[in-house]
Amino acid sequence: MAAAALGGWPAVCGKFRAARTLSAVESLKDPETEPYRSKYGARALLQEVKQLLSAAEEGGPERVLAVRRAVLEYELGVNHTDTEELSAGEEHLQRCTQLLEPHRLSPDCVSLYIQAQNNLGILWSERDEIETAQTYLESAEALYNQYMKEDGNPPLDPSEHFMAEEEKLTDQERSKRFEKVYTHTLYYLAQVYQHLDMIEKAAQYCHTTLKRQLEYCSYYPVEWARNAATLSQYYISKECFMEARHCLAAASVIFSQAGQVPSAEDIDETEQDQHDLPERKAEIARCWIKYCLNLLQSARKLLEDNIGKLDPDRQLELKAQRKKEEDEKEKGRKKAVLFGTSDISDSVLAMEEKVSSVYPLDFQEAREIFLVGQNYVQEAKEFFQVDGYVTDHIEIVQDHSALFKVLAFFEEDYERCCKMHKRRIDMLEPIYADLNPQYYLLICRQLQCELADTYYEMMDLKVAIGNRLERLDSHTVKKINSLAQFAIKYYELFLDSLRNPDKVFPEKLEEDVLRPAMVAKFHIARLYGKLITSDSKKQLENMQTSLEYYSFLVDYCEKYPDAVPAVETELELSKEMVTLLPASMERLRAKLSPCV
């Protein structure tokens, strides 16, 4: 019985097309009560097409029929996977690859075979069998490369096996569809490598995917921008700031296309994600903040001496070195990472020119990066407000504070440094005051330590300013003491947060709080030594308190030697002070004793 008797080949093709439309278009309108109604309808049509094909088998060439059957098995495999029937989906997809195996490198089979492998990869990923998924996807990648090397002509799209001759696609359209299939292979491989903690490989595949999506104009702007911004964070972790900046500039440019429908792919996204745009924009802004902050912090690491101050000799040396290297380096590396066609590249370049990607080596250069970061702080805060986004909002404020902290490193004027640290206090204290430690204990501890460290830093700066004066005036003395008291207050609040409900300090500290707690004890000891008083009795009390805190460190490390690596420098100085302080206190007591 021939297919003609059942309405002819056009009827078979019509049913096949109807099944695909049901699955891809109509299913989006299915009610929540019947989420798979259209998918089940498509499945029934595909089964009908399968029967019609069987009826036609006697009259047609075996090879053509095998490929058509493989197309149906593929469509049924995807259909079952979509309706969460993974075992049935796997069976159909395996049948598809078995039918195609002998001809998998021929132009009429290769695209379908790779798509079946991609979908088997996705299916095994959903089962959390990542290594199996990796095998299928790497096999798909290898097949694409082999085909391009040995043949390279645009292969048939699977849908063409159910088309009349005059409906067949142009070579250009075939090529575009085939490349999109391969882009999907790379996209899923990037995710698989990330799951397997092969981070470098994942980043490389993600970058290639993003480049190809732009090249073939096959992307959702919001999703593309989000992926590019996420990739920038990988480059930041590797201190590849030029690549990170390029990803972020491209993310900002492509994001601005959202809603303008640059490609057919964008239509679904526009309806779905329009209401998410402000949040996505704020997320990209946060990635820019991290970029500026990390670039400044990496520069500080290069420039600081062994006590954390700016080293002028190192600064001159790096400036000379940079002049020599800069041009060549940028030219060579740029080629490897560039995204997009020329019109996109121009917009990306304009975006990149707004912020440097080389280490700032003086205050002016650092300030320019700081200001860009600060603009993105305001942008991110517009969406992530305290009401509704407490944790996100606080993290953004902490990043803002960190930007001021690292900018202060580049500032040589102590008074201006103090003002920068005061800005940090002004932004952190109100947030801390409003937090309930019962619900936000970890954030409270972070803020206590940061506020204490900031007051400590300001106190040190005021002491340095005072040391330049011929004699300390009462205003400076008052300021130094006040800053020291505030630092002590916040360190003590942090240490109190470690106590149990009976207010007892833990005998052995947990690993995550060991260093912060020991540093807090060490700084309190030092702060009591910095308090200025003309009352010798009070001075003696301060020295005694200072000695107790230094002794805590020494005794703790004797009792728990595994704590030593966390506080080596502080321990060394504490041991020194535990030896020196009693003698100083004795001399002071002798002065206080009435002469006999």
Side-chain angles (χ1 to χ4, degrees), residues 103-271:
H103 324 291
R104 68 184 187 281
L105 270 167
S106 64
D108 55 341
C109 298
V110 67
S111 181
L112 178 58
Y113 193 90
I114 291 173
Q115 288 184 56
Q117 298 258 2
N118 281 353
N119 278 277
L120 283 162
I122 297 165
L123 188 143
W124 284 99
S125 290
E126 284 176 12
R127 290 172 168 166
D128 271 341
E129 299 275 353
I130 306 298
E131 276 94 350
T132 311
Q134 180 188 3
T135 308
Y136 281 111
L137 293 165
E138 285 179 348
S139 157
E141 179 189 27
L143 188 63
Y144 168 87
N145 288 326
Q146 191 182 348
Y147 177 79
M148 292 308 276
K149 193 175 164 189
E150 293 176 12
D151 189 317
N153 290 309
L156 263 72
D157 186 72
S159 62
E160 292 186 81
H161 294 290
F162 287 89
M163 276 182 192
E165 205 53 48
E166 66 275 10
E167 294 174 314
K168 295 278 169 83
L169 306 176
T170 61
D171 272 358
Q172 192 182 357
E173 182 59 27
R174 282 176 179 172
S175 176
K176 189 179 167 184
R177 291 192 186 189
F178 186 50
E179 293 302 341
K180 187 177 171 181
V181 167
Y182 179 56
T183 302
H184 281 150
T185 308
L186 299 176
Y187 175 75
Y188 299 128
L189 271 172
Q191 293 178 344
V192 158
Y193 291 139
Q194 194 165 355
H195 273 294
L196 295 171
D197 277 336
M198 297 162 75
I199 303 301
E200 204 161 322
K201 207 165 184 184
Q204 181 195 328
Y205 275 72
C206 181
H207 201 123
T208 308
T209 301
L210 291 168
K211 276 178 87 160
R212 289 176 61 87
Q213 286 174 334
L214 283 187
E215 195 181 328
Y216 296 103
C217 210
S218 170
Y219 59 91
Y220 300 126
V222 175
E223 187 195 349
W224 193 97
R226 198 178 186 185
N227 288 334
T230 305
L231 180 59
S232 76
Q233 304 304 289
Y234 163 76
Y235 286 126
I236 288 169
S237 74
K238 295 288 175 195
E239 298 197 346
C240 298
F241 290 103
M242 192 197 77
E243 290 85 343
R245 179 184 68 173
H246 188 63
C247 287
L248 283 169
S252 294
V253 168
I254 298 296
F255 183 84
S256 68
Q257 297 176 351
Q260 294 171 21
V261 194
S263 70
E265 305 251 337
D266 191 37
I267 295 164
D268 298 343
E269 186 186 56
T270 314
E271 291 169 15

